Structures are given as C-alpha cells and as structure tokens.
Amino acid sequence: MRPVLSIVTLLRSPIKTFLSLLLLVAVSFAFVGRGAEYAATSGEINRAESSNYRTVGYIRATTKQLFSALDGYFGDGFSNQNSSYSDGVPRESVPITPEAVELAAGSRYIDTVDLRRVSGGTNESLRAVTEQPVRHFLLGDISAARAWGTPGLTTSFAEVTCVEKDENRMKLYIDKVIVGDPAQFAEGNSIVVQNDHGKYVDEYFGGAEPGGRYFAAIARTDTGYIFNTYVPDVFAAISEGGEYALSPETEYSVRTLQTNLHSFDVVYTSSMDTMDKVRTGLMYAAEGTLIDGGSSGDVCVISADMAEVNGLAVGDTVELTLTPGTYESAGRVYGRASAYPTGTGMGVPGRNEMAEPDVAPVTKTFEIVGIWSDSDYDLENPLTYSLNTVFVPYEAYPWQDGVEPEYCPSTFGFSLKSPEDIDAFRAEVESEINELGYELVIRDGGYEQAKSSFDSMKQSALIGFIAMSAALLLALLLTTYLFVIRKKYDYAIMRALGTPVPRANASLLVGLFALALAAVLLGTALAVAATSGFAADLSAQIGEVTGGEVAATLPGWTFGAFGAGTLALLLAFAWAGLVRIGRIPPLRLLQGK
Amino acid sequence: MAALTLENVTYTYRNSPRPAVADVSCEFEAGTLYAVIGPSGSGKSTLLSMLAGLDLPTSGDVLLGTEPIRSLDLDRYRRESVSMIFQAFQLFPLLTVTENVCYPMELVGKKPGEAVPRAKELLSEVGITEEEMRRFPANLSGGQQQRVAIARALASGAKIMLADEPTGNLDVENTVLVMEILKRLASEQGYCVIVVTHDSEVADAADVVFRMTDGRLTRVR
Ligand SMILES: Nc1ncnc2c1ncn2[C@@H]1O[C@H](COP(=O)(O)OP(=O)(O)OP(=O)(O)O)[C@@H](O)[C@H]1O
Ligand SMILES: [Mg+2]
C-alpha cells in the first residue's frame, strides 16, 4: 500500500483511530509530563547539591594538649582537679605531623589540598579598608577590640584645643588627626564630646582648661562623640613645646593603631578552593583569577574594596613588608577548614601577638592577578574574610632558613570532590588518623540533612515517573497489540499477494507512525501546558532545603526527548509485533483472521 | 514442459493428524483450463494454496517449470508467477474496489496513472459499474465481491491463474461470463488456469478434470 493510502485507511475507520489516538494522547501526556518533571527534579537537585554542598575538612588532635609547664607540677598521687589548671592548648593549635597530613591528602577522594599560613603585611602608602573591627585584628582598633569591648567603635587620636567646658560636656577644636579616619570629624573641626554617661567629664578631665591644647582619644557612636575612657591617658595635656606625655602603654597602642591602618592580613595559600565560600561560589574572582593550584610566583589577589580604596587593578603591583609568624586573627575565617571557633576564638596562645620581634620582616612585591569579591560579606560569619585580606601563594611565605613548616589544624585543610564521598573517605583514612592521635573534622554544610530531603523529593518524582512509565508500557503494548490485530487481515492479504515482509511492515508502520506522531505531539503540548507551574514549585522546594534562591526550569529538550522516546518505543513494539507475524506463512495468516 | 508440476506433495496442517494433501503428483500445462472437483474438506483449497506458494509443502515439491519454488523468492513467485482468486475473496476492507484491484499492479511497479485505467477496464469486464468501483468491499454483494476478486487476480498479469470456487456466489449469467473469461485466458492467451469448483457445468467447460478425495488427486477426464 502506498504510504498515503495507509494513512488514508486510518481515516476510513475513524472511531477506532480516534480511540487509539485518545489512549496515546493520554499516556504520552502523563509520561512526558512526569518524565520532564523527574528530569528537572533530579537535574536541579544535582545542581543544588553540587553548588551548595562541598565538603571541606581538617585534622585536629583528639585531645587537648596540656601545657608542658604543668608537667611535674603535681607530686605523685595528686591529680589535677582544678579546671583552670587543666587548661591546655586547644586542639586547634596542637601541631599535626606531616605523616597525618600526607595520609589525609593522599586519599583518592581528595579534590584540593590547602597548605596555608596567615601573617601580617604592611605598606605605608596603602590604606586598609575600614570595616567592623570585631574580628579584624590587624586593623582591629586596639581600644575597641581590646578594652572597650564594643564592636564597631573606632577610636581616633587627635591633637585638640579645648574651646568650652562645663560639668558634662566639652567643645573641642580638632587641630590634627594623628591616627584615625578624618571623615569622622566631618562637621567642621569642632566637636562636642561627652563621656558615655554624660556626667563624668569633669571627673575625668577636670584639669582641662578652655584654650588649652590636649592629646585626646575620641570615639564616635551613633549619638555623638565620646571619650574612650578605657584608653589610658585619654586626655593628656600638650606642653608648650608641642610635646605630650603619654604612658608607654598608650604610646604603644597609638603606634600599633597607626600601623594597623596600613596593615593587611596576608593569607599564604596553596589553593583558595578549599575555602568554603569559594567552593560554594559566594566568594569569587570578580576580575582575574583566585589563587589556585596553578598559581606561582609573587602574585596576589586583593579584595574589590581594597582595590577601590587604593585605586588598584589587575596587573598593578603591591609591595608588602611581610612579618613571618602566624597570626591567629583569621583563625575563625579559615577555621572552616581548620580551627572552627569554640566560643570566642580567644585563648589561643599567640592570638594577639605580633611577629616575633627577632625575626626580620621581608619586603616583597606582588603582582595583582585577581580581585576577589564576597557576595555574602558578613564579618559575623566565621567564614568571612576581612576585606583587607591579601591572598598570595603558599610559597611566598617568608620562611626562615632552616625552619621546617610546622602544621597545625589552621595550616592544613582539604576538600573532597563531593559530599557523597564523605563516608568512603572516612572508611579509607579515619582509623589510621585516629591511631596517630588525631581526628578528622568534616563540614558538609548541611548536606546530610539536605540529602534526605532531596532524596525523598527525587524518590517521589521517580515513583511518579516509574508509574507513568509502567502505564506507558502497558498502553503502548495494548495499542500496538490492537493495531497489529486489527491490521493482521490486511497484512495476510498483502503477504498472500506477494508483498515482501519489509514493505508490508512499512506500509502498516507508516500509518501507526502518523497516528502516534499526532498523539505524542498533542500529548506533549498538553504536558508542557500542564507542567507550567512545576518549575516554580520545584524552585520553592529546593530553595527551602538549601536556603537559597533557585531558578529551576523544565528544559524544552526533556519534553522532546520523552516525546521522541514514546514514539520510538511504540514503533519498536509495533516492529517487534510485525516481525513476529512476518515469519508466519501467508496460508496460516489468511486462515487465522 | 509443464507450467507447474507437483512432485509427491504432502501438506499437513499443524495440529492435524491427517494430511490435507497426500502425496499428490501431477503436471499442469500452459494453455489449458483445469477443473478440480471433490467433496468439501477433501483438500482442494489446500492444494491450490500449495500451487500458489502460500506455504511450502510438508514434503515433496512444487516446480515452476523445472525450478522447485522452495528455492525461489516465494514473495516474488506469488507476486509475478501466479495469481489467485480466493474462496473467501480476501479483499482489503479499507480500500475501495478500484484501489483493491490496483494493488497487485502497484506491487509490480506500475504507476497509478497506468494502474487505475487498467483496473477500471478489468472491473467493467467482470460487470462492476463505475459507481460500485468507488465502494468499499463490505458494501458489495457476495457475487460482486467475487468478481472484484477475479478482476484483482487478472490485474497482476501472472500466467498461472488459480481460482478457488470463483463462481460459488454467482448467478448463472455471471457464471457464464466468468467462465468465458477464464476459458479465453487459457485458449487465447496461453494461461494455465486451475479452477476448484462444485459446479459440474463449470467442470464441463474444463479441458482436464481432476477429483480430490481425502487429499488424493485422481484424473477424471
Ligand atoms: N488450519 C487447519 N488446521 C487443521 N486442519 C485444517 C486446517 N485447514 C483445513 N484443514 C482441514 O484440511 C482438510 C482440507 O481442507 P480444505 O480447505 O483444503 O478443503 P476443501 O476441499 O477446500 O473444502 P471446501 O470444498 O469445503 O472448501 C479439511 O479436512 C480441513 O478440515
Ligand atoms: Mg475450499
């Protein structure tokens, strides 16, 4: 039968054709819809998993290390019952052996290994970005961070002239800002100060005389200017010769603060990829690249804010005077991969120490190869880096000759390829690491919990899809069975008249194909319409689990693929049925009608 | 040389204990009209099916000329060497009368422009009107369907014509018409025509008559 004719014959039995069409439209609608939903669900979940959940980890000592000073302190028969004496070096600071580092780093589940150091770097001509000093030690305003205890207060030091004074307030003329942000004194050069309770001015600064010149430590709050009463010599008279007498402690503070305004956290890292925020994409290269396994030489990556404040760009160079020795200021920041904060993060020996005095600073010039940005900048978050952090390759660390690198949890971190590998990774290395006296700390960013939600979402989508696939198979089998049965008589005649099997098959398949194509197109169009709200629902569901914005889509190709699959399956079934009857001799076919 | 030869042909249906055609040997010449008579169930239709190549004999051979059809392309044999008028007509129910008659011609590669006029010519020869040609087989009487089946058999142009009760549903007038046609095919166009029939008048018109009994074939005349 000519192709046209076999399609025409469909129209000559309209009711049967319509019923087959209806059945095929119904199942292809359900199957294509469920299929696209399932594909979208699993695709979006995989994407959500891989973008939100990366595994980072580190090694730390199993137990605290007691201060060695306590060794032998107690006599025989006594045990240390006093908790203050039992205090020791927190686990985050206990050194780890290279053996343990190699053990973890050598696993095949490891994606990136990061060796790192943190120290300070200074440059008199660069200005640090002003930010909440709560955890930015190097810029951390000494008075606010150390004595005042109120985060966010930046104390400035200035030479002032007393204009007026009564019991509770004093009007000062700012002659010169010694240290601090001149922008804080924007309202002319006159400010009115009071202490925070408003009534002790006279008590603290009774000696001030209108017309006298003084050195003053002043902080600005939301409500006005106050004396930073916790800084010694907060208000010192300046003698005729322009000299002011500060105690050594205040002088040291002022000097430190002066330095801090030109100081930066320098993070020496073999790869920024183990940093949690980098892995999740919150922290990224706004320009150029980040420090990764391929970075070498004297290159650096600075923050977008630091670049803006100092007018720097990729390709420029930054000269830094580096102070070796590890600062703990950023301990909480790289803590995700190393020393996760316990309580305040205080109590780590050396936290507030500057570089070892006998180690000479080294000056190096770094080329800026990238500008980093943190879309989730929040210094309250322990994973946030100060805007004054300069990332440089690990090799740039100014090692002292003959000094071997010592590892501690804050200098070694790793990331796994996928959070799904956590169990396998633990199985591979954990017991050996435990035997060495260390434990493995792994942060999955909530993957474990998300996984169970995701798994159940995927599962219900899969169940719907499988149910529809089963319905599809049954319907296709039924359709082809009925079709073949219905056409068996035609087939018998064709074969009896000498039509070769392929030609007989083809003339039946053309009709079936036309029918199925119409049905699948219609069913797919209905499925597209019916699933229009699904993407939004899916986005909401995934967003609820990850806590982020998700823009799920049902890609058009999935509809096409499932529609084409339906068509192909139907034709395959029909072909298989025809091949079977094609083997039967025409005599039997004719009799079998 | 015989057009068709049966050599010890036996055919047993599946699930049947006895052969429907039992060890039949016989020759059919071109230019001759044969009649096969015999009681119902004696194996006449089965014999024709063997000759038509609708299945191969369980044992023995059917020869086209000297070639066993077993070694030929059977589809092609059915398409080009033989044509058959089936006892149950076997018309495509969803094709019109004309389309049915065109089918064997299309199969051997004739274009519709050639096939349709030829089909109409053949149909009017067997007394089908223009209006009837546009109908579907189900909308014709048994006798009309039978004549359409005859026209379709004539359409293929094969030189061996096998007819299973071609006049079984026809009135006297049409029986005469059909027999005239078949006779002419044999005598004037050199066809080998084999007709299975119950009708003794039809058998009388044949050059040679065989009788089938219990699957065995004997020559009567
Ligand atoms: N498919 C089959 N399976 C088993 N036996 C069959 C089958 N078809 C036919 N037979 C048997 O084969 C024998 C011959 O049948 P056939 O149709 O050739 O008879 P016939 O001479 O043409 O009869 P009629 O004059 O009634 O058409 C019969 O006994 C019949 O019952
Ligand atoms: Mg019969």
Side-chain angles (χ1 to χ4, degrees):
Chain A
M1 238 178 278
R2 280 174 291 127
V4 189
L5 211 54
S6 44
I7 294 171
V8 166
T9 59
L10 287 174
L11 304 176
R12 290 177 180 168
S13 55
I15 292 177
K16 285 175 189 161
T17 301
F18 181 70
L19 290 178
S20 304
L21 187 80
L22 216 58
L23 181 65
L24 285 177
V25 167
V27 293
S28 56
F29 161 68
F31 174 73
V32 171
R34 282 303 108 104
E37 285 179 3
Y38 173 67
T41 303
S42 69
E44 293 293 347
I45 286 178
N46 287 344
R47 190 169 316 143
E49 284 183 341
S50 62
S51 62
N52 287 287
Y53 303 100
R54 301 287 193 161
T55 298
V56 292
Y58 62 97
I59 300 171
R60 68 177 176 191
T62 314
T63 53
K64 280 184 176 182
Q65 180 179 294
L66 288 180
F67 286 124
S68 51
L70 290 174
D71 289 353
Y73 183 85
F74 300 99
D76 285 346
F78 288 91
S79 62
N80 180 4
Q81 299 289 331
N82 186 324
S83 65
S84 64
Y85 286 117
S86 70
D87 220 358
V89 179
R91 296 192 277 171
E92 275 65 29
S93 291
V94 175
I96 49 179
T97 59
E99 193 188 358
V101 168
E102 277 159 26
L103 194 59
S107 164
R108 67 200 159 100
Y109 299 105
I110 292 287
D111 187 32
T112 321
V113 168
D114 188 19
L115 298 176
R116 67 185 99 73
R117 288 284 187 280
V118 177
S119 78
T122 57
N123 179 323
E124 287 299 321
S125 57
L126 293 180
R127 235 195 89 93
V129 180
T130 307
E131 62 184 343
Q132 294 251 334
V134 61
R135 259 181 294 99
H136 180 218
F137 167 70
L138 289 176
L139 180 64
D141 179 322
I142 46 157
S143 54
R146 205 175 174 201
W148 204 310
T150 309
L153 284 185
T154 304
T155 299
S156 297
F157 297 87
E159 285 180 25
V160 300
T161 302
C162 179
V163 181
E164 285 167 31
K165 170 177 167 277
D166 61 29
E167 223 177 79
N168 291 322
R169 16 190 325 283
M170 186 156 56
K171 186 171 181 184
L172 298 173
Y173 184 83
I174 308 288
D175 295 314
K176 179 185 173 192
V177 177
I178 304 167
V179 173
D181 186 356
Q184 292 214 344
F185 308 101
E187 304 142 32
N189 269 348
S190 276
I191 60 168
V192 173
V193 294
Q194 55 187 45
N195 85 335
D196 38 354
H197 299 296
K199 55 184 176 180
Y200 302 118
V201 172
D202 198 44
E203 188 180 317
Y204 281 100
F205 315 114
E209 297 275 340
R213 291 187 60 237
Y214 303 91
F215 167 86
I218 308 158
R220 183 177 179 160
T221 68
D222 291 343
T223 50
Y225 296 93
I226 58 175
F227 286 114
N228 190 335
T229 54
Y230 293 90
V231 177
D233 313 320
V234 68
F235 200 74
I238 299 176
S239 68
E240 290 299 318
E243 290 290 311
Y244 40 84
L246 296 181
S247 69
E249 198 186 341
T250 304
E251 219 181 293
Y252 174 79
S253 299
V254 172
R255 258 205 342 266
T256 308
L257 184 53
Q258 181 79 50
T259 312
N260 284 348
L261 283 172
H262 305 286
S263 296
F264 305 89
D265 288 357
V266 181
V267 176
Y268 306 81
T269 170
S270 47
S271 173
M272 291 174 73
D273 225 24
T274 60
M275 291 167 191
D276 200 84
K277 281 193 177 185
V278 173
R279 296 234 83 185
T280 55
L282 293 171
M283 203 169 147
Y284 56 93
E287 274 172 58
T289 57
L290 299 181
I291 303 294
D292 57 28
S295 305
S296 65
D298 292 335
V299 296
C300 70
V301 177
I302 64 171
S303 72
D305 295 72
M306 184 177 155
E308 195 191 327
V309 165
N310 293 288
L312 294 169
V314 170
D316 291 348
T317 55
V318 169
E319 190 187 80
L320 287 174
T321 299
L322 304 167
T323 45
T326 303
Y327 287 90
E328 290 292 335
S329 63
R332 297 178 68 176
V333 172
Y334 56 71
R336 187 46 171 256
S338 58
Y340 200 72
T342 48
T344 60
M346 303 291 279
V348 178
R351 175 181 163 80
N352 287 340
E353 285 166 17
M354 298 291 284
E356 293 155 46
D358 53 339
V359 175
V362 176
T363 300
K364 272 193 178 180
T365 304
F366 296 97
E367 185 192 344
I368 301 172
V369 292
I371 306 282
W372 65 267
S373 227
D374 182 350
S375 59
D376 184 45
Y377 177 74
D378 169 18
L379 279 174
E380 292 299 313
N381 176 351
L383 304 183
T384 298
Y385 283 83
S386 157
L387 298 175
N388 295 301
T389 307
V390 178
F391 295 96
V392 303
Y394 182 66
E395 294 73 31
Y397 186 75
W399 295 107
Q400 303 304 122
D401 281 345
V403 178
E404 284 293 308
E406 198 181 58
Y407 298 109
C408 73
S410 61
T411 62
F412 165 66
F414 57 81
S415 65
L416 302 185
K417 290 180 183 113
S418 152
E420 286 167 11
D421 292 340
I422 294 178
D423 290 343
F425 176 66
R426 280 195 189 280
E428 188 183 324
V429 301
E430 191 164 39
S431 64
E432 278 183 81
I433 284 181
N434 290 347
E435 274 167 32
L436 293 171
Y438 304 104
E439 66 179 22
L440 212 49
V441 180
I442 296 178
R443 309 273 165 203
D444 68 3
Y447 173 74
E448 212 39 53
Q449 271 171 303
K451 186 172 159 51
S452 60
S453 309
F454 282 155
D455 282 352
S456 68
M457 278 168 72
K458 269 195 208 172
Q459 204 169 31
S460 56
L462 182 63
I463 288 170
F465 178 53
I466 288 175
M468 282 310 137
S469 303
L472 177 82
L473 283 183
L474 282 179
L476 291 185
L477 279 174
L478 182 68
T479 314
T480 42
Y481 177 74
L482 291 178
F483 187 82
V484 169
I485 290 287
R486 187 145 70 87
K487 295 291 178 185
K488 205 171 166 185
Y489 182 49
D490 284 356
Y491 195 81
I493 302 171
M494 284 195 269
R495 296 285 293 125
L497 296 179
T499 315
V501 171
R503 186 167 168 171
N505 287 357
S507 65
L508 291 196
L509 286 175
V510 163
L512 183 63
F513 180 77
L515 180 71
L517 184 67
V520 168
L521 286 178
L522 206 60
T524 303
L526 289 175
V528 170
T531 53
S532 62
F534 183 80
D537 290 351
L538 181 63
S539 301
Q541 276 188 62
I542 294 178
E544 201 171 300
V545 179
T546 62
E549 286 278 306
V550 181
T553 53
L554 266 73
W557 66 264
T558 50
F559 292 102
F562 285 109
T566 306
L567 211 54
L569 212 55
L570 180 69
L571 291 181
F573 283 164
W575 181 261
L578 291 175
V579 163
R580 278 190 63 130
I581 62 170
R583 295 209 190 96
I584 302 173
L587 178 57
R588 250 170 68 204
L589 282 177
L590 285 174
Q591 288 192 328
K593 75 155 178 140
Chain B
M1 185 185 62
L4 274 181
T5 307
L6 297 177
E7 276 184 1
N8 307 104
V9 167
T10 298
Y11 187 82
T12 310
Y13 285 100
R14 303 194 319 163
N15 322 320
S16 167
R18 294 180 324 110
V21 173
D23 195 21
V24 171
S25 296
C26 151
E27 291 188 350
F28 299 97
E29 306 280 344
T32 311
L33 175 62
Y34 296 90
V36 179
I37 55 171
S40 178
S42 59
K44 304 182 296 293
S45 293
T46 311
L47 183 79
L48 275 198
S49 298
M50 293 299 102
L51 292 168
L54 294 175
D55 201 353
L56 288 168
T58 316
S59 67
D61 269 316
V62 177
L63 308 184
L64 174 67
T66 56
E67 279 293 313
I69 62 169
R70 206 181 275 285
S71 63
L72 300 175
D73 173 355
L74 265 191
D75 290 332
R76 183 167 178 194
Y77 172 74
R78 289 197 296 272
R79 210 159 55 228
E80 295 176 2
S81 304
V82 295
S83 57
M84 172 111 173
I85 301 163
F86 296 92
Q87 191 170 10
F89 321 139
Q90 316 289 24
L91 299 171
F92 294 111
L94 292 176
L95 296 192
T96 63
V97 165
T98 311
E99 285 163 355
N100 261 288
V101 178
C102 284
Y103 186 79
M105 294 190 271
E106 275 172 31
L107 217 46
V108 295
K110 279 209 172 93
K111 297 275 167 297
E114 207 180 336
V116 173
R118 173 74 180 138
K120 288 186 172 171
E121 189 184 327
L122 289 168
L123 283 165
S124 58
E125 249 179 68
V126 294
I128 300 293
T129 66
E130 281 277 342
E131 187 271 328
E132 286 158 355
M133 290 179 204
R134 288 192 290 273
R135 296 195 205 166
F136 293 111
N139 301 336
L140 295 178
S141 73
Q144 289 166 328
Q145 287 184 46
Q146 188 147 44
R147 281 178 282 145
V148 174
I150 292 165
R152 182 177 68 184
L154 294 169
S156 85
K159 290 287 191 183
I160 299 166
M161 171 71 72
L162 308 168
D164 198 349
E165 303 281 4
T167 58
N169 291 287
L170 301 184
D171 54 20
V172 180
E173 195 179 322
N174 277 307
T175 301
V176 171
L177 175 82
V178 166
M179 283 318 292
E180 288 281 292
I181 292 170
L182 293 179
K183 252 178 120 165
R184 243 184 302 124
L185 284 178
S187 57
E188 292 173 19
Q189 294 183 47
Y191 276 53
C192 170
V193 183
I194 305 168
V195 182
V196 166
T197 185
H198 274 114
D199 191 333
S200 53
E201 279 184 42
V202 171
D204 288 345
D207 303 318
V208 177
V209 180
F210 289 105
R211 174 182 295 280
M212 193 100 196
T213 11
D214 288 342
R216 294 183 185 278
L217 191 71
T218 44
R219 184 163 174 164
V220 179
R221 166 167 80 74

